[in-house]
Amino acid sequence: MWQLAIPRPLRLLALVVLAVVVAACSRDSRSDAARGPVVTPASYDVTLIAEKDGQFDYQDVPLTAQDLRAALNYRKEQGLPMKTLLLKRGEKNRIKDSHIVALARIAVALEFTAYLEEKGEINEIRATTKAEPEPAK
């Protein structure tokens, strides 16, 4: 029987090439907008506190995502400042994904910038809308 013997350095080279190809394919795919630096303002127009069950504390009133959107839309219609919003962790409740998703949707709809503060660090919530599908030819 014939057996193909591959020299050890050639096997090592093949392994390195394979590792480089896998690393190139699994590279971070976030957009340039998502990678940009966060520039936080000195003050925020609205401050929210995360409450349980995905609710928000706005001016000492617990609101659902729909109620919050209506309250912020009313604020915008009244001509009050509505450019920046900060979401903070509650005393007993942490910021959950449901808070972030709801706030991102509201921020896109009402065209303001949302930030969240956790563990003393402030991050911007950046959301993008889906591009419209191209018409079929």
Side-chain angles (χ1 to χ4, degrees):
M1 268 207 145
W2 286 81
Q3 208 171 17
L4 183 61
I6 301 174
R8 187 176 199 112
L10 195 54
R11 283 188 281 174
L12 184 60
L13 178 65
L15 185 60
V16 169
V17 169
L18 180 64
V20 169
V21 169
V22 169
C25 292
S26 64
R27 191 175 48 176
D28 193 9
S29 61
R30 293 186 303 172
S31 67
D32 290 335
R35 283 190 229 142
V38 175
V39 179
T40 58
S43 64
Y44 300 91
D45 298 326
V46 176
T47 301
L48 301 175
I49 298 174
E51 291 289 329
K52 64 180 180 177
D53 299 328
Q55 293 187 340
F56 301 90
D57 184 347
Y58 175 60
Q59 297 179 346
D60 296 326
V61 178
L63 299 174
T64 64
Q66 294 88 1
D67 295 336
L68 178 65
R69 181 176 177 166
L72 295 176
N73 192 33
Y74 177 77
R75 179 181 173 93
K76 191 173 183 178
E77 288 175 354
Q78 294 301 312
L80 297 171
M82 194 58 231
K83 297 282 184 196
T84 59
L85 181 142
L86 178 65
L87 175 63
K88 291 184 173 185
R89 178 185 174 133
E91 287 182 24
K92 297 180 181 177
N93 302 305
R94 61 185 181 91
I95 298 173
K96 297 180 181 174
D97 288 342
S98 59
H99 291 109
I100 296 170
V101 169
L103 194 54
R105 288 181 179 159
I106 295 170
V108 168
L110 299 180
E111 299 173 345
F112 63 84
T113 306
Y115 298 88
L116 63 95
E117 179 182 356
E118 271 193 312
K119 301 177 184 174
E121 185 177 320
I122 297 177
N123 293 306
E124 182 178 350
I125 299 174
R126 295 180 179 170
T128 57
T129 57
K130 289 184 180 179
E132 294 183 16
E134 293 183 23
K137 292 182 179 180

